[in-house]
Amino acid sequence: MATELLFRADAYLKTATARVTTASERGIELDRTIFYPTGGGQPGDTGAIVRAGGARIPVIDTRKGETPDRVLHVVAPGNPLPEPGEAVTLALDWERRHRHMRLHTALHVMSCVVVAPVTGGQIAQDKARLDFDIDLGLLDAARIEREVNAITARGIETETVWISDAELDARPELVKTMSVQPPRGAGRVRLLRIPGVDLQPCGGTHVRNLAEIGPIRVLRIRNEGKRNKRVEIALAD
Ligand SMILES: [Zn+2]
C-alpha cells in the first residue's frame, strides 16, 4: 500500500497521527508519514513511532520500500512491533531534519553560484557537498561563500511547483543534477523554485525562507575525479 507523503505538502510537520499497514523485522509501514526516506542525497529521517499506551519505538532510519511510493520506517531491534491497523503518533527528530533542510536548500543556492553541471551531492547533519564538472581552478572558496551568503541573506521565500512530465521533457535545462534524474512516470514532477535564483526538480525537503539557512562556510574544495570537483559546506552557526 502506498504511503501518503505528508512532508511533500508541509516539510514542517513535527508530529502526525497515522495507522500501521505492515510491521516486520525490516521495518514499519504506515498509511501516511512525516518521515523523509533516503533519496536525492538527503538522509532518511529518525525519530519515534509512539503507540497508544505511550510506548516509543525508536525509528533509526527511513527508506523507500519495495516500490518508490512506499516508505519503510526502520526500527531499532528488540522493540515489540505494533499490529497492522493500530493507530500511532509519529514524532520526528526535528532538529536533525531541520539541519538537513537548511543544508539541502543551501545546495540549491550553491548550484546557482557555481555555474557548472552538478555530478553528485550528499547531505549530512553537519555538512553537505556538491560535485561539479568544472576546472578546479575556477572554484574559489571565498567567492562561493560570499555569493551564497549574499543570496540567502535576501530572505527569499521558496515555492514548490509541479509540472507535467511533457513540460519537463521540453525544458531539459531545468535538470542540473546529472546524477539524480527526476522520477518520471507519475505524470508530474515536483520542482523547487527560489524566485529569481533557481528552479529545478527536487523531491527533498526545503526551508520556507532562505533566511532560515543562515550563513554557510566552505569547508574544503578538492578533486574527486575528472568530472567531480567537490565543494563541501557547513552551517556557520
Ligand atoms: Zn531540493
Side-chain angles (χ1 to χ4, degrees), residues 48-58 79-80 86 88-89:
I49 293 173
V50 186
R51 305 181 74 178
R56 292 174 75 87
I57 306 171
N79 283 282
E86 192 173 319
V88 291
T89 302

Side-chain angles (χ1 to χ4, degrees), residues 40 42 104-105 108 123 190 192 200-206:
Q42 185 176 329
H104 183 138
T105 313
H108 279 270
I123 299 154
R190 184 175 186 261
L192 176 74
Q200 63 178 295
C202 190
T205 56
H206 309 98

Side-chain angles (χ1 to χ4, degrees), residues 1-8 18-19 21 28-35 63 65 67-73 90:
M1 187 182 145
T3 312
E4 189 190 348
L5 308 176
L6 299 174
F7 56 82
R8 281 273 170 93
R19 207 164 278 281
T21 55
I28 297 171
E29 290 187 55
L30 305 162
D31 62 346
R32 55 193 215 142
T33 192
I34 53 175
F35 287 80
R63 297 179 200 152
T67 53
D69 59 354
R70 290 171 67 169
V71 174
L72 198 60
H73 304 81
L90 313 181

